[in-house]
Amino acid sequence: MAFEGSCHCGAVVFTVTADAPQTALSCNCSHCRRKGFLLAFLPADVFSLTAGDAVLTDYRFNKHAIRHRFCSICGAQPFAEGKGPDGSEVRAVNLRCVPGIDLDTLTIQTVDGASF
């Protein structure tokens, strides 16, 4: 079943045509740690930006491999764009921006991104 997410102000909205994830990644890199992300990496073809392309701003750091997208109005970062280990396009959805997901039911996998 598809699920929807958005930034805080609602200007950026996305839909994912896949079942809601049961697992989220919690990374300790300098960026994720400061923002408190709970991420699910999904194939790009199941992700659709349905509103807000014009208000999105990008942020890249370290190796510049991930295009972190955030709303220029409210500052929330609902997703990022990048490539998986196999080179395929992926979207990293910030599950904290998906109101329909009960975060307390997720299995959290930690990632030592600070060591990358």
Side-chain angles (χ1 to χ4, degrees):
M1 173 163 267
F3 62 93
E4 188 174 273
S6 67
C7 64
H8 187 257
C9 71
V12 176
V13 180
F14 63 86
T15 301
V16 175
T17 55
D19 290 337
Q22 302 296 310
T23 303
L25 298 179
S26 176
C27 176
N28 68 353
C29 78
S30 61
H31 187 68
C32 293
R33 179 178 173 183
R34 283 172 174 81
K35 293 196 171 185
F37 293 137
L38 290 177
L39 298 171
F41 286 80
L42 305 163
D45 63 355
V46 302
F47 180 93
S48 297
L49 182 63
T50 56
D53 189 50
V55 299
L56 282 169
T57 301
D58 296 352
Y59 176 66
R60 294 178 189 247
F61 73 104
N62 195 9
K63 297 178 183 174
H64 298 261
I66 299 173
R67 183 180 180 199
H68 299 274
R69 310 295 310 270
F70 66 94
C71 175
S72 62
I73 299 167
C74 68
Q77 184 182 318
F79 70 98
E81 301 170 343
K83 292 187 186 236
D86 65 356
S88 63
E89 290 289 326
V90 296
R91 299 296 176 262
V93 173
N94 180 4
L95 297 180
R96 293 190 184 276
C97 293
V98 181
I101 293 179
D102 182 354
L103 301 177
D104 293 331
T105 65
L106 294 171
T107 300
I108 307 298
Q109 295 179 330
T110 58
V111 174
D112 185 15
S115 296
F116 293 170

